[in-house]
């Protein structure tokens, strides 16, 4: 593929389909500083689409590392600049668009840090953005999109045999293929893909599923769904009435479980990052809806600190289905980045649940949400639980058992 | 010199002397994204000095270029995010510290743009920061410092014979030498240098100067001073009572002229940038205190648009004296960056004047300021007017003529 042309197509995809920028709308763009060449292509596409203003926040995880390592007083870690919630509120009130380009220039920047200090920062930051998460994301006041951009450090962590710019170029090739930007009709391909995800969600909702069963090597897990659970996938509709695609890529259909009905054992099939530390070879046990025990080959201590950061962090907040036809799975790579890896396989998340996946959920009272097992937490981390050896079966409210995925592949499209 | 050691000394100089960060104080740091490795050294030094929080704003001039080029509606160029003045106000109210690391990664990014669109953006941005400029900078509520960091693009624009990393390394060598970070006792050297600038300012104030005369090839300029004018130089004292050094390097003593008394012709001795365009070979004429005419070999159109952006942009706002002993002059380079170049030679600025260089100026009413010829503008651009061929003479209130610089060199220390 012509790399430059594909990059411009990708920037266009992000602005026209991911964020779907409308004339006069503002965009809030966050990216690693190393990715600024691509970020500027996105800025250009945004202004060309009629954006009023593009806020650009170029970051570097080493800044956060330095803070966590060197803050001279623990309570400084709670500090939130006054302008930060104002910025979040502004995005919500003006019904702006939000784009996050993931891909850190230094995958090790946040590893090996004191877990309590790290969580202290994370929780303070989450509180400052409560309204943004509740209204901006939860009620789709903003059109939000998470996409990725290649960096050298990230690429080197993926490819054993490549270094420097060669690694980054290879990662770009993979990313551009996965988001279909290698295709001339990239936007059309996404319209078709989006239609497929929508119709898959609709078919699942019509089944009236009470439980999902995951079976495979080391895995015998039941995830219960409330009567209000609705499968979502592909684009969402903002309060402006515009469709946007929250994740690029997105290959999943997903819903909000009744966390109290989670039971059994599950083998996590791919490594994943928690606060910058890779957790590998994880096996989890759920009893009465709570993550009661686990074993890990690597990263166990970080995982324990994370799930102990608040009560909701040990309860289920998401279940998602992905077939092995996913281009992320097909790439054969573990990207060490959840945006990609969650789209390689079925997954469950501990932590906060989406109200948007519950019929009427956004308007429910805390008591109503509690009554159907909606989970609340400052945490949310996806864990992949399928591959070519895992089957997924739906048990419907009428007791029927319907195979959904067999050997990791969708039974019907 | 050991490059890494000198860089850490420089970061330490910026934090301990430039900003003089106090325990619990917050720092607002802005830098080009390419300079993030050095910026992170500064962040580290700040947290180690006890900073509460370091705001880091990593930028890229191509973002602004994209906005000016591609905004679909002219009025979008006036847009100021609501969070921006909040951030400025916060810095003022908490008496924070502000650091700007200059050195763009793309010296051409802002050149060749429509001058009216560029000025429209600049003026809107200036208005949003009025309180920050008035109270934060003008009344030293914040401890502010402008320093520099090398980038490849900037370095290539300076050195004809060097490219890429080699150019950047050479620029770092020059910068580190100029800010005395090549010396083991860098902080001590700055204490001594600061003392010298202070005593020079004191000696000039004791002369009771009414006019400064600049004479040299193509230059016969008189700059008048009001009775309230005070020469400043070196460190300033913040509202917290802490000394900080607003510019690194700083080699000047400077004051606020009575703009109405500016008369004559002046040959600008070094090129300088206006909105990203280099202005070269400039000769200016002042009549009755107003820039009445000019000729330029390059950049004349940009210069004309700039001085026409408001009435104050054609009147004088600063006069500064620098000797040829300055390490910037000694380096033999034109750095195409005003922070460095203004410290190579005597200079005058058109545009906004400092109230802090007027006895009681910060508390004066607009009428009082007007009565002593204080200039107000959204513009402020320094133009260098001395070299080894220029003499500067003071004419005192009692009519004495005192030579200050002869052939560009200070007559007395």
């Amino acid at each position: 593929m012509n790399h430059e042309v594909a990059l411009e197509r990708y920037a266009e995809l992000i602005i026209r389909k991911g964020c779907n920028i409308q004339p006069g709308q503002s965009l809030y763009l966050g990216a690693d500083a190393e990715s600024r060449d691509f970020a500027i292509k996105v800025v250009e596409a945004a202004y060309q689409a009629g954006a009023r203003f593009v806020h650009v926040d170029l970051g570097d995880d080493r800044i956060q590392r330095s803070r966590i390592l060197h803050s001279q007083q623990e309570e400084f870690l709670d500090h939130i600049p006054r302008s930060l919630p104002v910025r979040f509120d502004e995005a919500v009130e003006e019904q702006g668009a939000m784009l996050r380009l993931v891909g850190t220039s230094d995958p090790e920047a946040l590893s090996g840090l004191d877990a309590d200090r790290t969580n202290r920062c994370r929780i303070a930051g989450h509180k400052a953005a409560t309204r943004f998460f509740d209204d901006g994301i939860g009620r789709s006041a903003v059109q939000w999109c998470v996409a990725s951009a290649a960096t050298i450090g990230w690429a080197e962590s993926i490819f054993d045999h490549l270094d420097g710019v060669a690694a980054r170029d290879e990662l770009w090739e993979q990313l551009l293929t996965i988001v279909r930007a290698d295709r001339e009709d990239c936007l059309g391909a996404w319209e078709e893909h989006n239609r497929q995800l929508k119709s898959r969600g609709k078919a699942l909702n019509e089944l009236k599923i009470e439980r999902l069963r995951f079976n495979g090597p080391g895995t015998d897990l039941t995830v219960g769904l409330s009567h209000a659970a609705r499968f979502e996938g592909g684009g969402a509709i903002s309060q402006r009435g515009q469709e946007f695609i929250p994740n690029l890529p997105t290959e999943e259909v997903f819903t909000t479980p009744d966390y109290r009905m989670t039971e059994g054992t599950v083998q996590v099939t791919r490594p994943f990052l928690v606060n910058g530390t890779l957790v590998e070879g994880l096996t989890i046990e759920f009893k009465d809806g709570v993550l009661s025990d686990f074993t890990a080959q690597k990263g166990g201590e970080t995982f324990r600190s994370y799930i102990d950061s608040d009560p909701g962090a040990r309860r289920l907040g998401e279940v998602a289905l992905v077939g092995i036809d996913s281009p992320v799975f097909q790439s054969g790579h573990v990207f060490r980045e959840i945006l990609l890896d969650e789209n390689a396989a079925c997954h469950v998340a501990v932590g906060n649940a989406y109200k948007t996946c519950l019929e009427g959920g956004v308007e429910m009272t805390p008591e109503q949400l509690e009554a159907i097992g909606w989970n609340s937490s400052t945490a949310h981390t996806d864990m992949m639980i399928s591959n070519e050896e895992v089957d997924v079966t739906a048990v419907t409210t009428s007791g029927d058992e319907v195979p959904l995925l067999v050997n990791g592949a969708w039974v019907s499209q």
Side-chain angles (χ1 to χ4, degrees), chain A:
Chain A
M1 78 183 91
N2 180 317
H3 191 71
E4 274 303 305
V5 171
L7 283 173
E8 309 224 329
R9 233 182 251 140
Y10 182 29
E12 198 71 13
L13 169 68
I14 287 170
I15 290 302
R16 301 280 175 179
K17 294 286 174 188
C19 298
N20 193 6
I21 292 290
Q22 299 300 304
Q25 194 173 22
S26 286
L27 172 65
Y28 296 73
L29 189 173
D32 191 286
E34 190 188 323
S35 301
R36 63 195 182 282
D37 287 353
F38 180 66
I40 288 164
K41 284 188 197 294
V42 175
V43 169
E44 206 163 295
Y47 280 121
Q48 283 169 340
R52 178 181 305 272
F53 186 74
V54 185
H55 306 245
V56 182
D57 185 10
L58 298 174
D60 188 310
D61 286 340
R62 292 173 298 171
I63 296 166
Q64 180 77 340
R65 177 182 186 81
S66 181
R67 183 184 186 202
I68 293 168
L69 267 181
H70 298 299
S71 256
Q72 299 292 300
Q73 294 188 38
E74 290 267 328
E75 61 264 36
F76 288 171
L77 298 171
D78 302 328
H79 181 78
I80 297 293
R82 202 198 305 164
S83 56
L84 190 70
V86 173
R87 190 167 167 151
F88 280 126
D89 286 353
E90 191 176 13
V92 171
E93 285 163 24
E94 72 182 5
Q95 301 188 336
M98 200 278 296
L99 169 67
R100 173 80 207 153
L101 290 176
V102 301
T104 175
S105 52
D106 184 355
E108 296 298 309
L110 298 174
S111 67
L113 293 170
D114 182 276
D116 291 339
R117 283 172 74 103
T118 302
N119 278 322
R120 195 162 176 165
C121 276
R122 186 177 58 76
I123 289 166
H126 191 94
K127 276 185 191 154
T130 300
R131 183 169 169 210
F132 179 77
F133 286 123
D134 285 359
D135 294 346
I137 305 294
R139 291 187 172 80
S140 300
V142 303
Q143 292 159 211
W144 59 279
C145 177
V146 183
S148 64
T151 63
I152 289 174
W154 177 27
E156 287 179 340
S157 79
I158 300 170
F159 307 117
D160 289 337
H161 58 294
L162 290 172
D163 291 318
V165 173
R168 189 176 61 191
D169 287 351
E170 174 61 24
L171 179 53
W172 265 126
E173 292 282 307
Q174 296 285 339
L175 294 178
L176 292 168
T177 304
I178 285 169
V179 298
R180 302 166 172 82
D182 58 334
R183 307 192 199 173
E184 211 171 310
D185 184 28
C186 169
L187 299 190
W190 270 93
E191 279 166 25
E192 175 52 31
H193 178 55
N194 191 31
R195 261 195 295 276
Q196 192 194 32
L197 291 172
K198 293 274 167 224
S199 77
R200 186 173 281 159
K202 186 158 175 277
L204 289 170
N205 290 331
E206 285 166 357
L207 278 180
K208 300 194 183 302
I209 300 170
E210 192 178 82
R211 277 169 289 156
L212 291 167
R213 282 212 316 252
F214 296 84
N215 294 96
T219 289
D220 184 2
L221 178 74
T222 300
V223 175
L225 305 183
S226 75
H227 61 86
R230 305 288 295 167
F231 279 89
E232 301 275 349
I237 306 291
S238 73
Q239 288 181 14
R240 282 176 182 251
Q242 298 295 334
E243 184 165 36
F244 63 98
I245 303 180
N247 285 180
L248 291 173
T250 184
E251 303 292 331
E252 59 173 349
V253 285
F254 59 99
T255 192
T256 290
D258 178 342
Y259 75 81
R260 301 164 302 182
M261 292 165 69
T262 320
E263 287 293 336
T265 306
V266 62
Q267 172 75 53
V268 174
T269 52
R270 296 183 153 232
F272 62 100
L273 290 169
V274 173
N275 288 336
T277 298
L278 208 66
V279 179
E280 286 185 83
L282 187 69
T283 304
I284 300 175
E285 209 178 313
F286 285 92
K287 269 191 191 150
D288 298 329
V290 174
L291 194 166
S292 55
D293 203 4
F294 71 88
T295 59
Q297 281 162 16
K298 278 190 189 168
E301 199 182 325
T302 302
F303 185 69
R304 182 178 305 280
S305 172
Y306 189 78
I307 61 175
D308 284 343
S309 63
D310 70 37
R314 278 181 179 261
R315 304 189 300 228
L316 223 60
E318 183 186 349
V319 59
L321 303 180
V322 178
I324 57 173
D325 60 322
S326 155
V328 185
F329 187 86
Q330 292 296 321
S331 77
H333 296 292
V334 173
F335 289 94
R336 299 176 171 232
E337 168 50 62
I338 201 63
L339 171 71
L340 280 304
D341 291 329
E342 71 159 339
N343 281 302
C346 296
H347 51 276
V348 289
V350 286
N352 206 52
Y354 303 117
K355 292 176 191 167
T356 44
C357 294
L358 296 171
E359 184 89 52
V362 173
E363 306 309 327
M364 285 183 188
T365 63
E367 294 70 29
Q368 288 173 317
L369 288 163
E370 176 64 30
I372 57 169
W374 175 80
N375 189 30
S376 161
S377 173
T378 65
H380 184 103
T381 285
D382 292 315
M383 299 175 292
M384 282 58 69
I385 60 170
S386 79
N387 55 26
E388 305 95 324
E389 298 180 288
V390 173
D391 298 334
V392 184
T393 309
V395 182
T396 68
T397 48
S398 50
D400 295 336
E401 299 201 357
V402 183
L404 300 178
L405 290 99
V406 173
N407 294 330
W410 284 100
V411 172
S412 66
Q413 288 309 308

